[in-house]
Amino acid sequence: MDLERLGTAGDGAIRSRRGREREQENGKYLIALVGMSVLLLSTYQTCVAAAADWRSELVILRVDRKIDLTSHIVRVVMSLKVENTGSTRASDVIVAFPPGQVDNLAYLRASAAEGRGKNKVTVPLTANPFQSEDVPSGAALFSIALLKPLNKGETVTIEVLSVFTHSLMPLPEEITQAQSQLVIYRDSAYVLSPYPVKLQSTTVKTPSPRIESYTKVDPTKVVDAEIKYGPYENLPAFSFSSFIVHFENNQPFAVVKELVREIEISHWGNVQITEHYHLVHGGARLKAGFSRIEYQARPNIRGASSFKSLVARLPPRAHSVYYRDEIGNISTSHLKSDTRKTELEIEPRYPMFGGWQATFTIGYGLPLQDFLFQAADGRRYLNLTFASPFNDVVIDKLIVKVALPEGSKDPHVSIPISSVDQQQETKYSYLDTVGRTVVVLSKKNVIPEHNVFFQVYYNFSTFSMLAEPLMLVTGFFFFFLACILYSHFDFSISKSSVSYLAKLQREEVQDAIQRLQSVMNLRLAVSEKLEASLRDLARTGDVQACKAARKAADATLKDTAKELKSIHEFLQSSTQASHILPKVEELIHKEKEKQEKLLLKHSIVVDSVDKKLPSKEIDSRIASHEQKLVLLKQEVDELLQAVDDI
Amino acid sequence: MTGKTDVALNSVMAPLTLKMESLQLSMKNFRLKTKQQELLLRIGVLCLVYVLAFITRLFSVLRYESMIHEFDPYFNYRTTLYLTEKGFYDFWNWFDYESWYPLGRIIGGTLYPGLMVTAALIYWTLRLLSFAVHIREVCVLTAPFFASNTTIVAYFFGKELWDSGAGLVAAALIAICPGYISRSVAGSYDNEGVAIFALLMTFYLFVKAVNTGSLAWSVASAFGYFYMVSAWGGYIFIINLIPIYVLVLLVTGRYSLRLYIAYNCMYILGMLLAMQIRFVGFQHVQSGEHMAAMGVFFLMQVFYFVDWVKHQLDDPKLFQAFLKITVTGAVGAGGLALGLGMASGYISPWTGRFYSLLDPTYAKDHIPIIASVSEHQPTAWSSFMFDFHILLIFFPAGLYFCFRRLTDATIFIVLYGLTSLYFAGVMVRLILVATPAVCLISAIAVSASVKNLAVLVRSKPKAASSVVSKGSSSLKASAKISVDQSLPFQRRGAGILILGILYLLTSYVTHCTWVTSEAYSSPSIVLAARGAHGDRVIFDDYREAYFWLRQNTPPDAKVMSWWDYGYQITAMGNRTVIVDNNTWNNTHIATVGRAMSSYEHEAYEIMQSLDVDYVLVVFGGVTGYSSDDINKFLWMVRIGGGVFPVIKESDYLVNGEYRVDKGAAPKMLNCLMYKLCYHRFGELSTEYGRPPGWDRARGVEIGNKNVKLEFLEEAFTTSNWIVRIYKVKPPVNRW
């Protein structure tokens, strides 16, 4: 148990800082934080100051203690009625635990009852470890600060809940599959107290009426599954009388040796939780093998001490739940979900018998808006439960890692539990460049009572969200840029090799063909215009415009003819062009023929219009040309297509 | 050049008209040219095929989960994990204490590291690019990734062999061919996954080198060969096929300088590179399997020399005499060298595995350990049909087309197809090697016939137009017309044939998808069955048992099981095994076989001598799972008996019949394997209306219901009894 070191000099910086903060707003916190567990409020100095006179004249009028042994976690509830018989005011009440027990103490909570009857409310009190020389045989003390100091003759009722783990020792230590598990529990029949106790009684509750043996400290009484010690009267301070109960306890002794919870926040809408368990059955070890046929026939008798499944209560709207281990998915799990919770029932690959182990991982996603909020000062904070979602497990070591999104700064943790170690590390996940800040919290000996909400505050700018998409975009951009550059550079080593020269020539030929095509297109456009001018002529009778068009066309054709000739010559000279040369030549030839025919037709029409011949006459004169022109046009189109395909 | 034209044009044209022209031009350019359309189509199809090849292999991930399948992949996964965790040098020098207890295994020297290094490289690259993937995911998806790459190689190979159309068809066929999918679904993380890629790559590069005579391609093919050697023992096929191919070219008088360059460079460089793999090492120049390549190498030099002399000598008579002398001299010297090498032991003889490839009956008589593996059995006709489907029909047609157009490249693919098909007939698993060849040759058939038919279908309108326009223009056209007249239903017939081919191809696709999803996507670690109500029931017993071993036994526990489960136990159970799937030591396996087939007290002594702590058996009697240890048991007896003659197969048979019921042989009923499988099984009712102890896998009531174990105790049995683990009790105190 690590409570004993609280408030001492060896503490981490973060903890003492929080201690200071707490000190300032002590009173406010006390009322506000209902249900809070052990608080470390008063500081060491006050402890020391009180040390001199801590055994002031307090007397405990009455103690009722209930020891609950029904699961493998031992819960002890003490209700103390304290009276101040001395003259000085008392502000603290000290409770004591026997030396063996305190090592297993996982949790301590004190509360005071205020008011009477229906108005009765419990107010949490603070308890912290307390040290004194004046204690027999190393008993551990805790001082509980009262709400208001106790004056002479006044009484106060305090309730103390203490929870112990690993306190039930299996006896025998090894059992067979058919045996049920017997455990022993040791404690003192008298409540260990630094004050004299007037009247006290203790009730021990066991899970079943099967109690093998118990120590008698008269008066002792057994009723069903309850052993009652007491009442005892007028015992001096630090009275001790050991008792041992040996009884049957077949509750699942589910102990998690180590649990690593990884919480990863993504501002794109998800909180991913991954929990790695190392589960052990902490009860009596199985001896002489496991017989499937017996277990199969009567699992409740021939496997009484084993447990088959565990139930986890996940937050509502948990999604993408998985359950696997290092060798793959485990197919034995059930998920039930409604609006208030998600219930995950997992079965390890085999029934868990005493001493058997299993490691597994469960993971689930949570909607971001349910767990991430923005604080008043602009910081964001995650609000999530601390411990495992499984019922009734003891976690020997819990490590919670909160991975904040990349680019978050100044993480700050607020947690209402004591003795949590805090560290920071960096983690690299998908597309991370500088890494994510990971806040690592670790605590030993964790029980379900520790499953409270904690907060991680951090600064985060929304622009950081865009960093990763932008990175991807840039990456692709440079990739394509590289591709473009590659296709524009010449990487050949030898500039004089045959293949390189051939390649160059090929490119030149291609170039020439492209030029040829553009020239052809120009010429085609010219003929289109001529045709258009003829149509205009037929419509408007404007001979002048038609003649002008003819003039322009002539000039263009003349120039392009030159160009064509040069291309033709080049192709003739090139060896690489031999296979396309016939087509090209045919094209040039046909196209020329076509242009000539068109020009001829044009001049005939213009002449006829000048001579004011009737349109029928004109039609008959150009009919033969027209027919040829259509054929030529078709051929030229085909040839152009063919050249295009080369 | 274009710049010049622009200037020329500018000077002529008014800028306005130019603008209009260019606008028109750009509009025209927008319409893709036929060439560009074809390119776009080709790239589009290739991309689709690439994606298809990947996703069709993901059935197993969707049906089950992202996990490693089968047996050997678990070893590969374990070594890859080691490689990524400890680095290359530790991996290379790894001595594994966890297998072959007490001998151990030198991992670095007894594996082909190509697969692991590939996966690790992919993993490191992804990590470098800040993708936080798990190595398991990389391993699971390595095989599909390489299958996708294979389709690209198949395209280029097809293009090299025939034309780009054949390449496209080949890529599409190989992407979904069940023969290949069977070894490359997601999770089957085995050597073959990358090896087929390497194999096809090497062949392609070599053919390219032969076609071009380029040193660069030849060097590339040597590196392809190196990758293949590093990845799979099947490289033996390459190093024998290529010499055979060269020999065939020489015999058919197709010797050329291109061939000389391609082969010499590839052989010398490839050999030097291959010797860098520790598992191969000097075998490459010393073992009988590699001698053919060396012989052909020397033959090439003789050819070159003879060619040179022929060039120098003008007199054909003199040359004939010279040729006689040289050939006899060369053959004599070669034969003598081989004989001396064999006699002195410098050249090791062929291994049993190689013999069993050439002679299908060899393994059955001499090496039971090879014969015991189901994938080493001769192939049934049905599995050819199952794995190739219509490719079996297209294959001969493709051969016909290849012979019609014999080139160096088509000779290669014909040789590859025929030899690999023979090997596929010898061993089921070698169907895999034949698959690329079958796909390529079928692709040639499909592409060539579709092309021919399409020409016929399209010829009519063209011919008609030419009749109108040209009349009697050219001889060719008139010849076409005459053909048209001779076959009146040609167009229609061609159309129907094209439809027929399309139908065949569609049925191929349906078949492949069905086979992939039903037959080849089961991880075999997790068994699935249909429940009484048609729901899916999962038997996850293997992992249950392995995980139990991993968690609840001492870390140094030694587990004895039949060698099939060795890799899985080490990888998933993380415990030391006596024998595993790397069957390098026959005696050790025979010892385990002997222990399993002996009486309990004899077996106990053997187990004591091997420090065995746990014995694991696989038993299907409750679920009806038929590939369990009882059905494999005769092989244990045979392999055990092969080394230890005290074990006789006849002791376990009754009148030559293998049975486990009351009529079984007494030794059978009391041997260790029987006892371990049926321990307390006699009390269990497995089926309604049957007596207790009804074995559902064999459909009999067992003969020995009262199994008492003296030296072992039941430690764990999985929920469906498929795996049973027993603990070996410590020796009893003498006093």
Side-chain angles (χ1 to χ4, degrees), chain A residues 286-300:
Chain A
L286 178 72
K287 68 174 180 193
F290 161 71
S291 167
R292 174 63 70 175
I293 188 162
E294 292 194 357
Y295 183 76
Q296 197 166 301
R298 281 166 297 179
N300 293 330

Side-chain angles (χ1 to χ4, degrees), chain B residues 656-668:
Chain B
E657 207 184 335
Y658 180 62
R659 41 202 301 191
V660 294
D661 57 358
K662 279 210 172 65
K667 185 143 195 198
M668 178 73 208

Side-chain angles (χ1 to χ4, degrees), chain A residues 65 67 98 101 185-193 200 202 204 217 229 232 235 238-244:
Chain A
R65 184 168 62 149
I67 302 175
Q101 272 187 7
Y185 176 74
R186 296 161 198 275
D187 204 341
S188 165
Y190 309 142
V191 174
L192 195 70
S193 171
Q200 63 170 299
T202 297
V204 179
V217 183
Y229 287 96
Y232 308 111
L235 290 170
F238 290 118
S239 307
F240 188 88
S241 168
S242 169
F243 78 87
I244 294 177

Side-chain angles (χ1 to χ4, degrees), chain A residues 289-292 294 296 324 327-329 349-350 356-357 359 430-431 511 515 521 559 563 644-645, chain B residues 1 5 12 25 33-34 65 130 136 540 543-544 547-548 551-552 680 714-715 717-719 721:
Chain A
F290 161 71
S291 167
R292 174 63 70 175
E294 292 194 357
Q296 197 166 301
R324 56 172 298 137
I327 64 169
N329 184 44
R349 289 189 187 268
Y350 35 81
W356 285 15
Q357 313 186 11
T359 53
Y430 286 93
L431 295 174
D511 206 42
R515 270 187 299 146
N521 284 330
D559 279 314
E563 186 78 14
D644 201 32
D645 281 353
Chain B
M1 284 269 177
T5 332
V12 178
L25 269 180
K33 293 174 187 166
T34 325
E65 58 183 280
S130 72
R136 188 188 58 246
D540 205 356
R543 288 194 294 185
E544 182 180 341
F547 202 65
W548 184 85
Q551 296 289 342
N552 301 315
R680 299 197 71 177
E714 186 177 355
T717 298
T718 57
S719 48
W721 291 57

